[in-house]
Amino acid sequence: MKKQIKQVFLICTIALFIGSCSSDDGSIFDTPLPDDTTGDDGADDSDEPEVATIVFNEAVPSSNITMASASGEAGTNVTGRVIFTSDATTQRRMYITQNYLGQGEMPFSSFDLVSDDLTKALKADGSIDLDGATKKEIDFSFPLPVPDIENGEIVYSFWTTTGKGDFRDSEKRLALGVGQITVTVGTGANPVAAVREFTDIKLFAPDVNGNTETFFSLLNETVYKINVGPEFRAFWDFGYYYGASGDSANDNASFASTEQYDASFGFPVEGLEPGADEENAATETLNQMFFSTSATIDVAAFDAITLNGELDFIASSSSQKITNLSVGDVIEFVDNYGKKGLIKVTAIQPGFGNADFIEFDVKIQP
């Protein structure tokens, strides 16, 4: 799939310095607490920079530190630290997002795992595996790279979950959090937020076994085969089909939300709905998305939109599918997380064979 991304995103690497795992009796790291000045070597630490630290303690919530900040200079690092201690709740995963210059929260999982023992530390969806059912206390310290900018903020959000969570919904199976570390550069003033923009997205008519790239994620502008597995279920926003129940004279080229896809297409796609043996199958959800044909935005107006605020006019419809699409159509949508956007249809190869497709561009709020 050819993609052109017109907005420049920050690409950072965080190094996690993880010592070793331990039992629930204590911290799995040796880093002292921020106010611990009783170092064994007697060294004077007064000149060391303060570490931006967030703390969540389920048993003593009055001790929580939910927000921390640090000032950074372009091209350097600042140190961040997160301490999450649970009591009755088991923490199974940690999710981290990064909001760069107010351009929207994105998954942050580009960790440099230098130890072979840590290759299992990341789940397939990019969350951190907290090592099974006994994980009660975690303590991460790591450098936060400061990009080459004059002014702005980079906000990192952290939370833990009791199972498979969702980068766009911190409440899904929330254990502890959300905490934030804000890195400020210069005045901290962010530029006006631009739309996120994806071009030349191609989705293919579905295969009931989930073998075709039929579904799209607005989170990471990626097309998916459903058979990639349930780890990515929260990523899937909508899919393409041609002709409900195989009747090409019925719906023709169509989009449907992930939640309503099987009902709209007329055939269950293998792997779209959770299997009974999957993690959290009983409480799993699929993403909704609401579509309507734009009455005010044509192709030229679509092409001219550049800023987040220019999409504020869009109101959610009640329909989770849109049918009989044609080249040149502009579609308004509101996704499962309240983000508003537009889709411009640029090409259609009609038919419900697995090689038939629709091609389109997207603009969505960050």
Side-chain angles (χ1 to χ4, degrees):
M1 179 193 68
K2 177 183 176 184
K3 299 188 294 185
Q4 298 173 341
I5 304 175
K6 298 182 179 177
Q7 177 187 0
V8 177
F9 288 96
L10 173 66
I11 301 175
C12 317
T13 301
I14 285 184
L16 280 179
F17 297 106
I18 302 178
S20 62
C21 294
S22 75
S23 70
D24 294 344
D25 296 332
S27 173
I28 60 173
F29 299 92
D30 296 327
T31 312
L33 289 170
D35 57 357
D36 184 356
T37 57
T38 60
D40 294 335
D41 58 5
D44 183 3
D45 296 331
S46 59
D47 293 334
E48 293 186 3
E50 183 178 354
V51 176
T53 304
I54 57 175
V55 177
F56 282 85
N57 188 327
E58 186 178 28
V60 190
S62 60
S63 66
N64 290 355
I65 303 172
T66 62
M67 302 183 71
S69 60
S71 296
E73 296 183 4
T76 65
N77 292 324
V78 300
T79 302
R81 185 180 178 198
V82 295
I83 304 170
F84 283 59
T85 306
S86 59
D87 182 24
T89 304
T90 296
Q91 302 176 91
R92 297 185 184 278
R93 302 187 184 205
M94 173 172 279
Y95 285 78
I96 305 175
T97 63
Q98 178 198 68
N99 190 337
Y100 173 62
L101 301 182
Q103 299 298 318
E105 294 187 30
M106 297 294 291
F108 196 82
S109 58
S110 297
F111 303 112
D112 184 11
L113 303 177
V114 296
S115 169
D116 291 341
D117 294 335
L118 298 178
T119 56
K120 63 182 180 181
L122 288 185
K123 289 287 194 179
D125 70 346
S127 61
I128 299 174
D129 186 354
L130 298 181
D131 197 28
T134 61
K135 191 59 63 185
K136 295 291 186 180
E137 184 171 1
I138 60 174
D139 186 337
F140 292 163
S141 295
F142 44 82
L144 300 172
V146 182
D148 188 13
I149 57 174
E150 293 184 359
N151 301 294
E153 287 186 342
I154 304 95
V155 180
Y156 296 89
S157 297
F158 306 81
W159 67 94
T160 59
T161 62
T162 59
K164 181 159 59 71
D166 185 342
F167 279 106
R168 291 179 284 183
D169 180 7
S170 60
E171 293 297 317
K172 189 170 186 178
R173 305 186 181 103
L174 178 66
L176 297 179
V178 174
Q180 291 186 331
I181 295 177
T182 300
V183 179
T184 301
V185 181
T187 65
N190 290 327
V192 177
V195 296
R196 296 177 64 215
E197 190 169 356
F198 324 128
T199 61
D200 300 329
I201 306 301
K202 182 182 287 188
L203 297 181
F204 291 87
D207 177 276
V208 294
N209 296 314
N211 292 321
T212 54
E213 293 181 332
T214 298
F215 287 79
F216 185 63
S217 174
L218 295 162
L219 174 66
N220 59 358
E221 69 262 19
T222 298
V223 297
Y224 282 96
K225 298 179 181 180
I226 294 304
N227 64 9
V228 296
E231 275 289 323
F232 298 97
R233 189 170 278 122
F235 288 59
W236 308 329
D237 291 303
F238 67 98
Y240 173 68
Y241 68 91
Y242 191 96
S245 301
D247 181 359
S248 61
N250 189 351
D251 285 351
N252 293 328
S254 304
F255 291 138
S257 73
T258 309
E259 182 190 76
Q260 293 296 314
Y261 188 86
D262 276 355
S264 299
F265 175 45
F267 298 100
V269 175
E270 182 73 24
L272 188 60
E273 297 282 349
D277 59 343
E278 288 182 18
E279 176 189 18
N280 306 119
T283 57
E284 187 63 286
T285 57
L286 300 178
N287 283 335
Q288 298 181 333
M289 187 161 162
F290 301 92
F291 304 93
S292 61
T293 301
S294 182
T296 58
I297 302 296
D298 58 14
V299 168
F302 175 96
D303 293 342
I305 289 175
T306 59
L307 301 178
N308 168 53
E310 295 178 271
L311 298 176
D312 285 342
F313 74 93
I314 295 172
S316 179
S317 74
S318 59
S319 178
Q320 294 197 60
K321 72 174 183 178
I322 189 165
T323 63
N324 293 296
L325 297 173
S326 301
V327 173
D329 283 349
V330 176
I331 303 156
E332 299 175 5
F333 69 84
V334 178
D335 74 7
N336 192 77
Y337 309 92
K339 299 291 181 67
K340 300 177 178 182
L342 297 169
I343 297 171
K344 179 182 70 175
V345 179
T346 57
I348 296 174
Q349 180 169 305
F352 43 82
N354 293 161
D356 297 323
F357 63 85
I358 190 169
E359 197 165 16
F360 55 94
D361 300 342
V362 178
K363 294 186 177 182
I364 185 173
Q365 292 178 323

